[in-house]
Amino acid sequence: MSENPFEVLKEDMENEEVYLKVNAMHRVKVVATLLGSDKIKSQLIPYFETLLKKEDDEVLFALAEELGNIAQIIPNQSSCLLSLLEQLAGFDETVVREQAVKSIAIVCGFLGDNDIANTIVPMIIRLASNDTNFTCRVSAVCLMCPLYARAGNQKEKIRQKFTELCSEETPMVRRAVATKIGEIAQFMDKIHVIQDLIPVLKQLCQDEQDQVRLLCMESLMNIAKILNSSENKTNILPLIIQSAEDKSWRVRLALSKIFADLAEAVGKEIADSSLIQIFSNLLKDTECDVRVIAVRSLARFIKFVSPEKLNLIVPLLQLLSKDPFSQVKQYACEVIGQIATLLPKEYSQSKLQQYLIDLMADDNQDVRRNAAKSAGQFAAAIGPEALNQFVPFLKKCMDDPKWRVRKETMQTIIQLALTVKNPDVFNKQLESVFVMFLKDRAAEVRSMGLIQLPALIATYKQDWAIGNFLSKCIETLSKDVGSLYRINALYAIQQISFAVDGPIAQDKLWPIVQKCLKDPVPNIRFVSIKVAKSLQKKIDNQQTLNQIKQSINELLEDPDRDVKFYAQEALQN
Amino acid sequence: MQNRTANSKQTTAGRSQVQPNTTTQQPRAPPQMVQNMARVTDPKHVPKDTRDQFLKKIHFCSQPYDFNDDTKNVKEKQERSQYLQELFDLLKEPNFVNNLVVPHLDLIIEMIEKNIFRPLPILKKTATNGEIGMEDDDQLIDPAWTHLQPVYEYFLQLIVNEQPDVKSLKIFITHSFIQEFLELFDSEEPREREYLKNILHRLYAKLVPRRKMIRKAINDCFYTLIHETYKFNGAAELLDILASIISGFAVPLREEHVIFFKTVIIPLHKVQTCQFYHEQLLRCSMLFLSKDPTLATFLVEGLLRYWPFANSAKEVMFLNELLEVLEVCEISKLEPLIPKLFKRLIKCIAGPHLQVADRAMCFFENDYFLTILKSYKPFTFPLLVPVIAQIADTHWHKVLQESLNALKTILKEIDYQAFDKALNTKDPKYLYIIQDAKNQKKDRQKIEEKWKNLTKQALQKNPNFKEPIVPYSDTHIVGEHNGLNNGNITIL
């Protein structure tokens, strides 16, 4: 019972399989708990030191993680782990380094502000000044962010070192700085951000490597968040303008990606006065990938500018909806749908409607799909008068050769029906499109209609369900179409049965089902059994109930095994 | 123009309808200009109009055009091509180079920079949404290439030309120039990379004072590949250059170069895309080893450390390299690596992939390797013999089974007694390599029991203790890869 935990660990680490050693390493927590802080210091840490030189990266990765866990066991003395972690932070292997940095942050969580200033800051500076190993400097940059806030009177030293590293010759370090500059800014006083960080950010934004400039974009946004409008105008806006004209399309793409967030960060005023113009250029970029990403951001961007400025974007949308690259058009559809909810009705109707209708007939199926989707949003925003225009085209979309387009259209129709809530409009315009799901040749589309049926019945009531709709179902059932269609119609009848009263179920629905119980296709027979079962629950009339029972009973002798099974099941309950 | 680039035209036929009728093309290298220059001896007295003409052409060629669209600026592009050709031809006139090119090197380099330093395009197979899984032939053509090629050609000839001396060139080849130049190596256009390689090679040869800087920039490129991006199209080309740089290193190697070997050459093996440059990497490694054979053990260690996972093609490459490197190793220095080395080989032989197993078997045909095996008999025999003996009986592939049996014979011949002793060991330690997970679990039972007890104790000591999550269970893929769930081998 009384094994020495340290010996067990050592024994397991003797194993030659790396994965077993990794496992053992993850159990260090157990050992550390049992050993207590003194022995951790005197036994465990010296042992780990020996591992650093000889172990595989995988094991060291586990070690770096576990050191963070040990820190939680001995919170008051966790600084003894720092020397190990410092070494790991300078390792070649990226994952080991990163994990070590994380664990150092955990250790720092247990340290007092004094310790931070006296031990951690010198450690960071030491790492940052290591000229032979760029990995140390990268780790130092990563450590500066979480610890800056607690560095007390040493803050200046860190700031100085950070800005120093921005002019590094090694591109890896510059890339690390470019990624982190936005993060560290969150912890700094505004005055330092403007005095110290903005100049180096400017410098990084003009870096010779496009990779560095690209990484600056996210940081740019983060810094914009902490500055006020006028500070943004003088400091950030010139950088945005410059990046939007960057010669590397990768930078322009990165900027396009965050443009909406950037607009949110700098505020409405700048967004209105300057960003729309800059963004327009990105939307017209020569590189199609930039346009794709830009138009994707556009859908969010329009929420952050004043509605009255939106008319500047409309002409762009007209351009984008004719873009030679189909992905651009695909996302342009979404924007048209969105923007219609923000613009005055007449304006979007006169300027955009035709474009959307054209997109519904595009060559590319993804464009058609998104157009159908946006058409719903558009029509809902404009109101019933727009439906007149759209319904013929939606109907056309239901004849699309691609089922994905039809599915999206079906969804749109249903959404419209549910938002309009106007029986007149529904009966006149939408219903005829909706019932097309009964005859669609793709199961996806058919089940789409089926799933939404209860919601529609709830909105348009029993009258519609047992009136027009039921007659369509009967039509499908009676016509000699494929059995899958008939099954679908049967399930639709089941849905109706949930919503109607007993007498109606008895008079209108049961006769249909009764007929289906004698269908030549076995699958239809057992689906009918299921539907009959749900009818049973509704109907009170004993005579009809007996009839149902009788009919199912007959099927106990059915030649098909599955039909027999369902018949039995139905009679048991 | 048309004659010179005939080669590149053929490959891009159909794309370059830039010059529909160029029958009225000017004669190559305007004779008048050359004649004028022939009389000039002093650079200060170049006729003004000749100089102006020259500068005008340089300036014209510095203008950016959209080369991706053949329909735009057709006339200008045509003119530009012609000028570039003229400038190129003039490089052949020594007088001209001395008196015009060298004094205006700043403008010329600027022209080159403006042309070639550009954001690299992503070459799309087709602009429309092509179907996925279409034939994957290497038809990646940068439409701008026809227009870039003359600039590269010009740059190359400029460096090759002997008249611009080191001093005047040196000023322009700055750190940032080299860094931007190296970034172009990521181009997907192989012909561009070829030019880049040749130019950088010549630059390195010519600009002795810039060598250290160039090496450092190349290092940074590789660090990025190893630590950040994991993919770099020009890695093979850069290694090509390095190979000739390395062969020029003086012996004994300077510490800087040894560090390079350890921090770049060895870790380059672990990169996922290693296959694309392995041939060149191997050449560099072997060149290093020829300069300093003691580095071989580090490389062996590195290979064993970065052994590929679930990538049999790469495994075969590693095996090839390993054997070559082992031949350079001093046997006595190998001792600490012997267990890892032989275990790896056994895993390859017992593994599920036939080619890997076959390649590993080839080691035993190598005399030097057999010497290593014999020198460390006390270790290698107890490891090899029980495993080989068992899979020789049970291996699923007939040919491999035969060679395993042959290997058994070889081992027997080396030392019959040791063979027998190893075969009859009671509990062969390394048999687990070919055992399935169940047996493996049984072996682990004792120590797992201990861990369980310890965890209980820890819980008693600290009620808030959370049980550690152990990442690899015995059904885990790592176990399978290590031959633990090896279904190919049945154990009695």
Side-chain angles (χ1 to χ4, degrees):
Chain A
M1 252 327 257
S2 59
E3 291 101 359
N4 179 345
F6 184 49
E7 292 302 324
V8 175
L9 174 70
K10 278 210 281 195
E11 185 193 332
D12 216 9
M13 286 297 289
E14 292 289 298
N15 228 304
E16 299 196 22
E17 289 303 314
V18 175
Y19 82 104
L20 290 175
K21 284 197 272 196
V22 172
N23 276 354
M25 199 37 93
H26 280 290
R27 284 163 158 158
V28 154
K29 227 165 95 174
V30 180
V31 180
T33 310
L34 292 173
L35 287 183
S37 61
D38 287 344
K39 281 191 181 166
I40 289 178
K41 270 192 215 163
S42 63
Q43 294 184 335
L44 212 50
I45 291 179
Y47 174 65
F48 287 157
E49 289 276 354
T50 64
L51 294 182
L52 287 188
K53 286 215 177 60
K54 60 172 195 186
E55 278 308 339
D56 278 322
D57 290 333
E58 301 245 3
V59 180
L60 295 175
F61 174 58
L63 174 63
E65 190 182 341
E66 287 310 312
L67 287 175
N69 286 333
I70 294 178
Q72 286 161 359
I73 297 170
I74 46 163
N76 298 324
Q77 292 164 51
S78 54
S79 56
C80 63
L81 305 167
L82 284 172
S83 122
L84 274 171
L85 284 168
E86 186 180 341
Q87 292 176 57
L88 287 169
F91 255 69
D92 271 354
E93 179 55 52
T94 322
V95 285
V96 176
R97 262 188 282 148
E98 283 170 356
Q99 190 57 53
V101 167
K102 275 184 209 159
S103 292
I104 291 177
I106 295 177
V107 172
C108 291
F110 299 117
L111 297 180
D113 285 351
N114 255 343
D115 288 330
I116 300 277
N118 296 331
T119 51
I120 301 291
V121 175
M123 180 179 95
I124 294 177
I125 302 292
R126 212 160 42 234
L127 284 168
S129 319
N130 187 325
D131 287 335
T132 46
N133 254 345
F134 77 89
T135 51
C136 294
R137 300 200 294 278
V138 172
S139 292
V141 171
C142 298
L143 279 171
M144 284 174 182
C145 299
L147 293 170
Y148 177 81
R150 300 184 57 204
N153 52 7
Q154 305 277 332
K155 279 183 181 165
E156 178 156 7
K157 241 187 195 169
I158 294 192
R159 269 201 318 272
Q160 204 186 340
K161 201 75 204 172
F162 189 87
T163 46
E164 207 176 284
L165 288 173
C166 293
S167 328
E168 263 278 345
E169 230 176 44
T170 322
M172 283 74 73
V173 178
R174 287 207 311 276
R175 284 197 288 269
V177 180
T179 329
K180 293 286 174 184
I181 191 166
E183 201 180 320
I184 200 169
Q186 313 295 315
F187 303 105
M188 282 193 186
D189 297 330
K190 215 173 183 179
I191 176 135
H192 295 310
V193 172
I194 293 172
Q195 275 176 3
D196 296 337
L197 290 190
I198 296 285
V200 286
L201 181 67
K202 273 182 190 153
Q203 184 191 322
L204 288 168
C205 280
Q206 285 166 346
D207 197 277
E208 66 217 17
Q209 279 211 326
D210 59 355
Q211 202 63 33
V212 176
R213 301 199 298 274
L214 187 155
L215 291 168
C216 284
M217 292 303 111
E218 193 109 342
S219 296
L220 199 64
M221 177 186 79
N222 285 329
I223 292 183
K225 276 182 195 158
I226 48 178
L227 300 183
N228 66 30
S229 181
S230 72
E231 286 157 350
N232 271 326
K233 207 176 238 161
T234 47
N235 296 308
I236 300 297
L237 191 58
L239 294 178
I240 299 177
I241 295 172
Q242 177 195 318
S243 307
E245 287 160 3
D246 199 288
K247 70 170 180 171
S248 167
W249 59 267
R250 289 183 174 83
V251 177
R252 299 199 303 271
L253 189 134
L255 179 69
S256 310
K257 206 180 236 164
I258 58 154
F259 214 87
D261 300 300
L262 203 55
E264 192 184 9
V266 296
K268 245 196 177 90
E269 193 195 325
I270 298 182
D272 282 351
S273 61
S274 313
L275 289 194
I276 293 185
Q277 191 46 49
I278 301 170
F279 201 29
S280 312
N281 291 337
L282 289 174
L283 287 164
K284 288 186 281 197
D285 202 279
T286 47
E287 194 65 43
C288 54
D289 294 84
V290 177
R291 290 202 303 276
V292 172
I293 299 297
V295 74
R296 285 179 77 165
S297 296
L298 184 60
R300 286 195 57 226
F301 178 76
I302 52 177
K303 291 180 194 149
F304 301 116
V305 292
S306 309
E308 59 271 18
K309 290 280 176 181
L310 283 176
N311 50 9
L312 293 173
I313 290 172
V314 173
L316 285 172
L317 279 174
Q318 295 170 346
L319 203 68
L320 290 168
S321 66
K322 298 260 182 276
D323 199 278
F325 200 65
S326 59
Q327 258 186 301
V328 176
K329 287 189 275 190
Q330 192 184 330
Y331 295 111
C333 296
E334 280 176 25
V335 184
I336 293 180
Q338 295 255 338
I339 205 168
T341 58
L342 304 169
L343 285 171
K345 282 181 193 178
E346 299 75 31
Y347 189 72
S348 24
Q349 214 173 354
S350 66
K351 295 281 178 188
L352 291 171
Q353 186 165 299
Q354 192 51 48
Y355 291 93
L356 193 54
I357 288 174
D358 290 347
L359 287 168
M360 285 166 83
D362 197 85
D363 291 337
N364 182 291
Q365 62 154 320
D366 292 321
V367 177
R368 292 199 301 274
R369 204 175 78 206
N370 271 10
K373 189 170 161 193
S374 302
Q377 209 173 12
F378 194 89
I382 307 294
E385 59 269 32
L387 277 180
N388 279 335
Q389 313 275 341
F390 276 108
V391 168
F393 295 99
L394 286 171
K395 216 169 203 163
K396 223 189 227 160
C397 283
M398 279 312 288
D399 290 329
D400 201 282
K402 302 283 183 194
W403 66 264
R404 286 172 207 277
V405 178
R406 299 202 301 275
K407 187 179 172 191
E408 201 63 61
T409 313
M410 184 47 66
Q411 174 94 6
T412 303
I413 292 289
I414 294 165
Q415 281 309 326
L416 276 174
L418 293 177
T419 33
V420 170
K421 288 199 175 114
N422 181 337
D424 269 355
V425 177
F426 179 70
N427 288 334
K428 263 194 221 141
Q429 313 266 9
L430 299 171
E431 196 215 9
S432 58
V433 192
F434 172 71
V435 293
M436 285 168 93
F437 89 89
L438 286 169
K439 286 183 240 161
D440 201 276
R441 53 186 195 283
E444 276 285 340
V445 181
R446 291 198 302 272
S447 57
M448 177 82 205
L450 211 52
I451 291 165
Q452 297 285 359
L453 189 55
L456 277 177
I457 295 177
T459 315
Y460 294 104
K461 306 292 179 258
Q462 176 172 323
D463 294 346
W464 166 71
I466 55 165
N468 262 343
F469 183 66
L470 187 63
S471 66
K472 290 282 175 199
C473 292
I474 295 170
E475 194 182 302
T476 313
L477 282 170
S478 57
K479 265 193 205 153
D480 190 25
V481 281
S483 63
L484 291 171
Y485 299 100
R486 298 210 294 278
I487 290 178
N488 195 56
L490 267 173
Y491 279 126
I493 288 174
Q494 187 177 31
Q495 291 297 347
I496 298 173
S497 78
F498 293 140
V500 297
D501 313 330
I504 294 174
Q506 179 186 332
D507 298 343
K508 293 242 176 187
L509 303 181
W510 166 239
I512 307 169
V513 180
Q514 193 174 24
K515 224 158 93 195
C516 290
L517 282 167
K518 300 193 174 70
D519 199 280
V521 180
N523 289 43
I524 294 189
R525 292 201 297 277
F526 70 66
V527 170
S528 307
I529 295 175
K530 290 187 204 168
V531 179
K533 245 176 80 184
S534 25
L535 286 179
Q536 268 182 326
K537 288 176 193 146
K538 282 276 174 183
I539 296 170
D540 306 322
N541 187 318
Q542 201 50 48
Q543 198 186 345
T544 321
L545 281 176
N546 286 341
Q547 233 176 30
I548 295 176
K549 222 171 192 174
Q550 179 61 34
S551 310
I552 296 177
N553 238 331
E554 282 165 25
L555 290 174
L556 282 173
E557 302 305 315
D558 200 272
D560 188 273
R561 215 169 54 185
D562 294 321
V563 177
K564 262 196 265 185
F565 170 83
Y566 281 107
Q568 261 166 7
E569 197 196 46
L571 289 172
Q572 265 166 18
N573 305 331
Chain B
M1 166 77 200
Q2 278 177 333
N3 295 337
R4 273 217 50 86
T5 53
N7 286 339
S8 64
K9 278 273 172 67
Q10 270 168 6
T11 44
T12 57
R15 283 182 165 273
S16 52
Q17 295 144 342
V18 196
Q19 302 160 315
N21 8 291
T22 39
T23 40
T24 54
Q25 208 181 11
Q26 278 183 27
R28 311 175 53 179
Q32 195 208 340
M33 229 167 138
V34 179
Q35 273 165 27
N36 287 349
M37 285 306 295
R39 278 179 251 118
V40 179
T41 45
D42 183 0
K44 282 175 191 141
H45 296 105
V46 177
K48 192 173 175 298
D49 62 325
T50 314
R51 184 189 296 269
D52 284 351
Q53 225 181 344
F54 174 75
L55 292 179
K56 190 192 122 198
K57 285 173 186 168
I58 295 279
H59 180 74
F60 193 89
C61 295
S62 308
Q63 301 298 318
Y65 292 108
D66 179 7
F67 293 124
N68 292 319
D69 189 346
D70 280 348
T71 57
K72 276 189 216 156
N73 306 96
V74 178
K75 206 169 140 246
E76 284 88 344
K77 284 180 196 167
Q78 213 173 319
E79 208 168 328
R80 175 184 171 278
S81 306
Q82 200 182 317
Y83 286 168
L84 275 170
Q85 182 58 40
E86 285 171 27
L87 289 172
F88 178 82
D89 287 336
L90 289 171
L91 277 180
K92 290 175 194 143
E93 312 288 338
N95 208 356
F96 195 87
V97 175
N98 259 336
N99 297 319
L100 269 181
V101 174
V102 175
H104 292 294
L105 217 47
D106 55 341
L107 292 175
I108 293 175
I109 298 285
E110 193 188 321
M111 183 272 284
I112 293 169
E113 283 183 4
K114 280 199 171 148
N115 273 291
I116 63 172
F117 289 173
R118 67 204 195 284
L120 289 173
I122 292 183
L123 299 186
K124 296 178 191 76
K125 295 223 167 95
T126 38
T128 52
N129 284 358
E131 244 131 272
I132 301 160
M134 289 274 276
E135 79 247 43
D136 197 22
D137 45 6
D138 291 328
Q139 283 291 317
L140 296 172
I141 292 164
D142 185 352
W145 176 244
T146 12
H147 303 281
L148 285 169
Q149 190 268 346
V151 183
Y152 275 114
E153 186 63 42
Y154 183 78
F155 194 11
L156 182 62
Q157 290 311 318
L158 185 71
I159 308 291
V160 172
N161 203 301
E162 283 172 4
Q163 272 142 333
D165 61 348
V166 176
K167 232 190 208 161
S168 43
L169 266 177
K170 196 179 77 174
I171 319 165
F172 306 106
I173 311 305
T174 57
H175 179 261
S176 68
F177 179 91
I178 290 294
Q179 211 167 52
E180 280 204 59
F181 192 80
L182 284 175
E183 267 185 64
L184 293 174
F185 272 84
D186 201 19
S187 167
E188 290 185 59
E189 169 64 65
R191 287 169 297 180
E192 179 168 16
R193 295 203 303 267
E194 195 59 29
Y195 267 109
L196 289 164
K197 180 175 102 179
N198 288 331
I199 292 169
L200 186 62
H201 200 165
R202 304 290 155 106
L203 276 176
Y204 187 84
K206 194 166 185 173
L207 299 181
V208 180
R210 288 283 181 260
R211 285 189 177 172
K212 194 165 179 186
M213 192 191 77
I214 295 177
R215 280 203 309 270
K216 189 172 174 297
I218 294 180
N219 273 8
D220 285 346
C221 241
F222 281 126
Y223 281 141
T224 310
L225 168 65
I226 296 166
H227 296 283
E228 289 177 14
T229 54
Y230 316 116
K231 186 173 185 288
F232 187 70
N233 290 321
E237 280 81 2
L238 282 181
L239 284 166
D240 262 339
I241 299 174
L242 272 178
S244 54
I245 294 179
I246 294 164
S247 46
F249 284 166
V251 183
L253 290 175
R254 272 192 284 166
E255 201 202 338
E256 173 205 352
H257 302 321
V258 175
I259 291 177
F260 172 75
F261 181 77
K262 289 182 184 167
T263 58
V264 175
I265 296 289
I266 295 181
L268 270 177
H269 285 89
K270 78 171 165 184
V271 179
Q272 193 54 245
T273 51
C274 176
Q275 277 117 311
F276 299 119
Y277 56 78
H278 186 258
E279 190 191 325
Q280 288 80 3
L281 182 60
L282 181 59
R283 199 161 70 239
C284 286
S285 315
M286 294 322 285
L287 278 166
F288 257 111
L289 300 189
S290 70
K291 302 259 168 187
D292 183 358
T294 58
L295 292 175
T297 40
F298 293 103
L299 185 52
V300 172
E301 194 191 343
L303 284 171
L304 293 172
R305 181 180 196 141
Y306 300 131
W307 200 265
F309 176 87
N311 184 349
S312 45
K314 201 174 163 190
E315 252 181 304
V316 173
M317 284 186 333
F318 266 51
L319 282 166
N320 287 338
E321 181 168 357
L322 186 60
L323 189 57
E324 265 190 65
V325 178
L326 278 175
E327 287 192 57
V328 189
C329 284
E330 206 179 311
I331 294 186
S332 61
K333 292 266 172 63
L334 274 172
E335 194 178 344
L337 298 171
I338 289 294
K340 259 193 157 182
L341 172 66
F342 277 84
K343 249 179 56 195
R344 177 51 66 195
L345 283 175
I346 280 294
K347 275 181 192 168
C348 289
I349 293 173
H353 198 275
L354 191 66
Q355 270 168 307
V356 173
D358 200 48
R359 202 46 237 172
M361 287 300 288
C362 290
F363 275 57
F364 297 94
E365 289 161 19
N366 183 297
D367 288 335
Y368 194 76
F369 179 77
L370 286 178
T371 322
I372 298 174
L373 189 147
K374 282 179 217 162
S375 316
Y376 293 101
K377 226 166 22 186
F379 179 82
T380 54
F381 265 63
L383 168 60
L384 282 172
V385 173
V387 180
I388 297 289
Q390 205 161 91
I391 49 179
D393 291 342
T394 55
H395 201 278
W396 57 278
H397 195 268
K398 214 172 157 232
V399 177
L400 204 76
Q401 201 176 7
E402 274 165 27
S403 51
L404 281 163
N405 275 314
L407 175 58
K408 227 165 88 177
T409 325
I410 295 174
L411 291 173
K412 248 185 231 171
E413 277 166 14
I414 291 172
D415 187 339
Y416 187 77
Q417 281 180 325
F419 183 89
D420 246 15
K421 204 178 137 205
L423 196 58
N424 294 322
T425 339
K426 248 206 166 157
D427 194 10
K429 192 175 160 206
Y430 290 98
L431 214 53
Y432 79 88
I433 293 171
I434 50 167
Q435 270 170 349
D436 57 11
K438 237 191 222 158
N439 282 327
Q440 173 76 24
K441 213 173 174 183
K442 223 161 62 192
D443 292 344
R444 294 273 313 159
Q445 216 164 24
K446 227 167 95 187
I447 194 145
E448 290 292 335
E449 209 50 47
K450 284 184 193 171
W451 278 119
K452 223 183 232 168
N453 277 335
L454 290 175
T455 313
K456 255 187 219 155
Q457 287 173 31
L459 259 171
Q460 275 166 9
K461 195 170 171 187
N462 177 7
N464 295 327
F465 181 80
K466 273 198 201 111
E467 265 187 65
I469 299 156
V470 176
Y472 298 122
S473 64
D474 47 27
T475 52
H476 194 270
I477 183 167
V478 173
E480 279 166 27
H481 175 69
N482 284 310
L484 301 176
N485 288 338
N486 194 336
N488 294 321
I489 296 156
T490 43
I491 298 293
L492 304 165

